[in-house]
Amino acid sequence: MDDTPVPADDPKPQGKGRPTPKRRDAEGRRRQPVSAPKDRKEAYRQLRAKQAAERERARKGMLSGDERYFPARDKGPARKFARDWVDSRRLPSQYFLPFSLFILLVTWIPWPPAIQPMVIGYVITIGWPLMMFGVLFTSVFVSWKVKKLVAEKHPGESVRGVGFYAAMRALQIRRLRFPPPTVLPGGKPVPPKK
């Protein structure tokens, strides 16, 4: 404690320079007019409008890549690394859905009677098993590789579920992935939309 006297001409003010407001005045300033709904229908309409605005804000936040708006399964540096690793590569499993659609269309085409059994036989005995083997192999490889890399690059992060997360992302068509990819195949960042 300093016992030196303070000179009277001290430029430092000794108080806040204004009187303390009365409680009723302070509370009155804090209060805002409440627009209570007239009936239940109006209350429900206001609630729906508020929820729609929140959903739209969350959707825009997710599309812009703001991690605050992501679901819990997509949050964290390990999941971000897994997404970027998968998105920076062209993997055979991402063609699973288009190839399945192609096989389905090939079996529905009315081929001439002499060719139809041969086409369906090739599709069922060669095309479908090759596709399934490719998807299974790619999924196992992606899961193993991403888990290993996450453990190396983010030692404090849990790797539980990261491999499955990466394998499921690798199965999706690139345009339909959510959250949207932030890197192009090859590793370059996605250019901003104009």
Side-chain angles (χ1 to χ4, degrees):
M1 214 103 163
D2 190 14
D3 291 337
T4 57
V6 179
D9 59 340
D10 188 13
K12 198 170 174 185
Q14 293 295 325
K16 60 186 171 191
R18 59 180 166 76
T20 303
K22 293 191 167 153
R23 177 179 287 207
R24 68 172 177 241
D25 296 336
E27 286 177 352
R29 274 186 302 228
R30 273 197 311 244
R31 288 190 184 142
Q32 306 229 342
V34 177
S35 59
K38 296 173 187 159
D39 56 3
R40 290 179 67 193
K41 282 186 181 180
E42 181 64 28
Y44 185 62
R45 197 173 8 262
Q46 286 179 2
L47 177 67
R48 283 182 38 199
K50 183 180 175 186
Q51 288 174 340
E54 287 175 8
R55 279 194 304 272
E56 181 62 22
R57 190 167 41 102
R59 188 184 72 78
K60 285 182 180 176
M62 284 190 272
L63 289 175
S64 69
D66 190 350
E67 198 165 311
R68 291 177 299 168
Y69 298 105
F70 286 174
R73 68 158 201 256
D74 295 321
K75 289 184 178 179
R79 302 297 170 113
K80 169 118 177 73
F81 177 82
R83 283 195 303 272
D84 290 346
W85 191 89
V86 169
D87 294 339
S88 66
R89 288 159 177 74
R90 293 192 192 278
L91 300 164
S93 59
Q94 77 186 53
Y95 302 107
F96 168 70
L97 291 175
F99 192 69
S100 298
L101 183 63
F102 172 74
I103 286 177
L104 196 61
L105 291 175
V106 165
T107 58
W108 283 355
I109 292 176
W111 297 97
I115 301 176
Q116 188 171 11
M118 184 176 66
V119 168
I120 292 177
Y122 281 135
V123 166
I124 292 174
T125 59
I126 297 173
W128 193 258
L130 275 176
M131 181 189 65
M132 293 310 290
F133 176 75
V135 166
L136 182 66
F137 176 77
T138 304
S139 298
V140 169
F141 172 74
V142 165
S143 177
W144 169 78
K145 186 72 171 177
V146 167
K147 274 176 139 176
K148 181 181 170 194
L149 290 172
V150 165
E152 288 174 7
K153 296 200 184 279
H154 303 284
E157 288 289 316
S158 170
V159 294
R160 185 172 177 228
V162 172
F164 181 75
Y165 178 78
M168 289 298 104
R169 188 166 178 92
L171 276 172
Q172 298 169 352
I173 299 171
R174 184 176 176 82
R175 286 181 179 259
L176 302 178
R177 291 178 183 166
F178 193 81
T182 57
V183 292
L184 296 170
K188 292 182 181 174
V190 173
K193 292 181 181 178
K194 294 179 181 178

